Short mmCIF file of all heavy atoms in Angstrom, two decimals:
data_model
loop_
_atom_site.label_atom_id
_atom_site.label_comp_id
_atom_site.label_asym_id
_atom_site.label_seq_id
_atom_site.Cartn_x
_atom_site.Cartn_y
_atom_site.Cartn_z
N GLU A 1 42.91 188.97 93.93
CA GLU A 1 41.71 189.76 93.67
C GLU A 1 40.67 188.97 92.89
O GLU A 1 40.98 188.36 91.86
CB GLU A 1 42.07 191.04 92.91
CG GLU A 1 40.89 191.97 92.72
CD GLU A 1 41.29 193.32 92.17
OE1 GLU A 1 42.49 193.51 91.87
OE2 GLU A 1 40.40 194.20 92.03
N TYR A 2 39.46 188.93 93.40
CA TYR A 2 38.38 188.19 92.78
C TYR A 2 38.13 188.70 91.36
O TYR A 2 38.09 189.89 91.11
CB TYR A 2 37.10 188.36 93.63
CG TYR A 2 35.93 187.55 93.11
CD1 TYR A 2 35.84 186.18 93.39
CD2 TYR A 2 34.96 188.17 92.36
CE1 TYR A 2 34.76 185.44 92.93
CE2 TYR A 2 33.86 187.44 91.91
CZ TYR A 2 33.78 186.07 92.17
OH TYR A 2 32.72 185.36 91.68
N GLY A 3 37.97 187.77 90.43
CA GLY A 3 37.69 188.16 89.04
C GLY A 3 38.91 188.47 88.24
O GLY A 3 38.79 188.84 87.06
N THR A 4 40.10 188.33 88.81
CA THR A 4 41.34 188.61 88.08
C THR A 4 42.13 187.30 87.96
O THR A 4 41.93 186.34 88.68
CB THR A 4 42.20 189.66 88.76
OG1 THR A 4 42.75 189.11 89.99
CG2 THR A 4 41.41 190.89 89.10
N TRP A 5 43.11 187.30 87.02
CA TRP A 5 43.99 186.16 86.83
C TRP A 5 44.70 185.78 88.12
O TRP A 5 44.85 184.60 88.44
CB TRP A 5 45.00 186.49 85.73
CG TRP A 5 46.08 185.49 85.54
CD1 TRP A 5 46.03 184.34 84.78
CD2 TRP A 5 47.41 185.55 86.07
NE1 TRP A 5 47.21 183.69 84.83
CE2 TRP A 5 48.09 184.41 85.61
CE3 TRP A 5 48.05 186.45 86.92
CZ2 TRP A 5 49.40 184.14 85.97
CZ3 TRP A 5 49.37 186.18 87.27
CH2 TRP A 5 50.04 185.04 86.80
N GLY A 6 45.16 186.78 88.89
CA GLY A 6 45.90 186.49 90.11
C GLY A 6 45.08 185.76 91.14
O GLY A 6 45.64 185.03 91.97
N GLY A 7 43.78 185.92 91.11
CA GLY A 7 42.88 185.26 92.05
C GLY A 7 42.34 183.95 91.57
O GLY A 7 41.41 183.38 92.19
N GLU A 8 42.92 183.42 90.48
CA GLU A 8 42.50 182.11 89.97
C GLU A 8 43.53 181.04 90.35
O GLU A 8 44.68 181.35 90.60
CB GLU A 8 42.40 182.15 88.42
CG GLU A 8 41.29 183.09 87.93
CD GLU A 8 41.32 183.22 86.40
OE1 GLU A 8 42.26 182.64 85.77
OE2 GLU A 8 40.44 183.87 85.87
N PHE A 9 43.08 179.81 90.39
CA PHE A 9 43.97 178.68 90.55
C PHE A 9 45.00 178.71 89.43
O PHE A 9 44.63 178.93 88.26
CB PHE A 9 43.23 177.34 90.46
CG PHE A 9 42.42 176.97 91.65
CD1 PHE A 9 41.17 177.55 91.88
CD2 PHE A 9 42.86 176.01 92.55
CE1 PHE A 9 40.38 177.18 92.95
CE2 PHE A 9 42.09 175.63 93.63
CZ PHE A 9 40.86 176.22 93.85
N ARG A 10 46.26 178.40 89.73
CA ARG A 10 47.20 178.14 88.65
C ARG A 10 46.64 176.96 87.85
O ARG A 10 46.12 176.00 88.45
CB ARG A 10 48.58 177.85 89.21
CG ARG A 10 49.57 177.49 88.13
CD ARG A 10 50.99 177.53 88.66
NE ARG A 10 51.93 176.84 87.77
CZ ARG A 10 53.20 177.18 87.61
NH1 ARG A 10 53.71 178.18 88.32
NH2 ARG A 10 53.96 176.52 86.77
N ALA A 11 46.77 177.02 86.54
CA ALA A 11 46.06 176.07 85.66
C ALA A 11 46.26 174.62 86.04
O ALA A 11 45.31 173.83 86.02
CB ALA A 11 46.51 176.31 84.21
N GLU A 12 47.50 174.24 86.41
CA GLU A 12 47.79 172.85 86.70
C GLU A 12 47.12 172.36 88.00
O GLU A 12 47.08 171.14 88.25
CB GLU A 12 49.30 172.60 86.82
CG GLU A 12 50.09 172.98 85.59
CD GLU A 12 50.65 174.39 85.67
OE1 GLU A 12 49.93 175.29 86.11
OE2 GLU A 12 51.83 174.55 85.31
N PHE A 13 46.64 173.29 88.80
CA PHE A 13 46.06 172.92 90.11
C PHE A 13 44.54 173.04 90.14
O PHE A 13 43.96 172.89 91.21
CB PHE A 13 46.67 173.79 91.19
CG PHE A 13 48.14 173.53 91.43
CD1 PHE A 13 49.10 174.24 90.72
CD2 PHE A 13 48.56 172.56 92.32
CE1 PHE A 13 50.46 174.00 90.91
CE2 PHE A 13 49.91 172.30 92.50
CZ PHE A 13 50.85 173.01 91.80
N VAL A 14 43.91 173.32 89.04
CA VAL A 14 42.47 173.45 89.03
C VAL A 14 41.85 172.12 89.50
O VAL A 14 42.21 171.06 89.00
CB VAL A 14 41.96 173.81 87.61
CG1 VAL A 14 40.42 173.71 87.55
CG2 VAL A 14 42.41 175.21 87.23
N PRO A 15 40.96 172.17 90.47
CA PRO A 15 40.36 170.94 90.98
C PRO A 15 39.62 170.18 89.89
O PRO A 15 39.04 170.76 88.97
CB PRO A 15 39.38 171.44 92.04
CG PRO A 15 39.92 172.77 92.47
CD PRO A 15 40.52 173.36 91.21
N VAL A 16 39.64 168.86 90.01
CA VAL A 16 38.87 168.00 89.08
C VAL A 16 37.63 167.52 89.79
O VAL A 16 37.45 167.71 91.00
CB VAL A 16 39.76 166.85 88.57
CG1 VAL A 16 40.99 167.34 87.85
CG2 VAL A 16 40.14 165.89 89.74
N ALA A 17 36.78 166.85 89.04
CA ALA A 17 35.50 166.41 89.59
C ALA A 17 35.74 165.55 90.81
O ALA A 17 36.58 164.66 90.82
CB ALA A 17 34.74 165.62 88.53
N GLY A 18 34.97 165.82 91.87
CA GLY A 18 35.06 165.03 93.09
C GLY A 18 35.97 165.62 94.13
O GLY A 18 35.94 165.21 95.30
N GLU A 19 36.82 166.58 93.75
CA GLU A 19 37.73 167.22 94.71
C GLU A 19 37.00 168.37 95.41
O GLU A 19 36.12 169.01 94.82
CB GLU A 19 39.01 167.67 94.03
CG GLU A 19 39.80 166.49 93.49
CD GLU A 19 41.07 166.86 92.77
OE1 GLU A 19 41.27 168.06 92.44
OE2 GLU A 19 41.87 165.93 92.47
N VAL A 20 37.36 168.62 96.64
CA VAL A 20 36.62 169.55 97.50
C VAL A 20 37.39 170.86 97.68
O VAL A 20 38.57 170.86 98.07
CB VAL A 20 36.35 168.93 98.89
CG1 VAL A 20 35.66 169.94 99.81
CG2 VAL A 20 35.50 167.67 98.73
N VAL A 21 36.72 171.96 97.40
CA VAL A 21 37.27 173.30 97.68
C VAL A 21 36.54 173.87 98.88
O VAL A 21 35.34 174.17 98.80
CB VAL A 21 37.12 174.25 96.47
CG1 VAL A 21 37.74 175.61 96.79
CG2 VAL A 21 37.77 173.64 95.24
N ALA A 22 37.23 173.98 99.98
CA ALA A 22 36.63 174.54 101.20
C ALA A 22 36.32 176.00 101.07
O ALA A 22 36.89 176.67 100.18
CB ALA A 22 37.55 174.30 102.42
N SER A 23 35.47 176.54 101.89
CA SER A 23 35.20 177.96 101.85
C SER A 23 36.47 178.74 102.20
O SER A 23 37.33 178.25 102.93
CB SER A 23 34.08 178.32 102.84
OG SER A 23 34.32 177.81 104.11
N GLU A 24 36.61 179.93 101.66
CA GLU A 24 37.87 180.68 101.76
C GLU A 24 38.14 181.14 103.19
O GLU A 24 37.23 181.59 103.89
CB GLU A 24 37.79 181.91 100.84
CG GLU A 24 37.67 181.50 99.35
CD GLU A 24 37.44 182.69 98.46
OE1 GLU A 24 37.38 183.85 98.95
OE2 GLU A 24 37.33 182.48 97.22
N HIS A 25 39.43 181.05 103.61
CA HIS A 25 39.81 181.52 104.92
C HIS A 25 40.24 182.98 104.84
O HIS A 25 40.91 183.41 103.92
CB HIS A 25 40.91 180.66 105.52
CG HIS A 25 42.11 180.41 104.66
ND1 HIS A 25 42.17 179.38 103.74
CD2 HIS A 25 43.29 181.04 104.55
CE1 HIS A 25 43.33 179.38 103.12
NE2 HIS A 25 44.04 180.39 103.59
#
């Protein structure tokens, strides 16, 4: 769910600068 903890990246997997997050499927 958007805006909730469950809809966030697990902390260790948060993208770093230069990494690409594609639009959601």
Side-chain angles (χ1 to χ4, degrees):
E1 186 171 3
Y2 183 80
T4 70
W5 172 84
E8 295 174 355
F9 285 78
R10 177 165 165 151
E12 302 95 317
F13 294 90
V14 171
V16 301
E19 296 179 348
V20 176
V21 181
S23 53
E24 297 174 0
H25 50 274

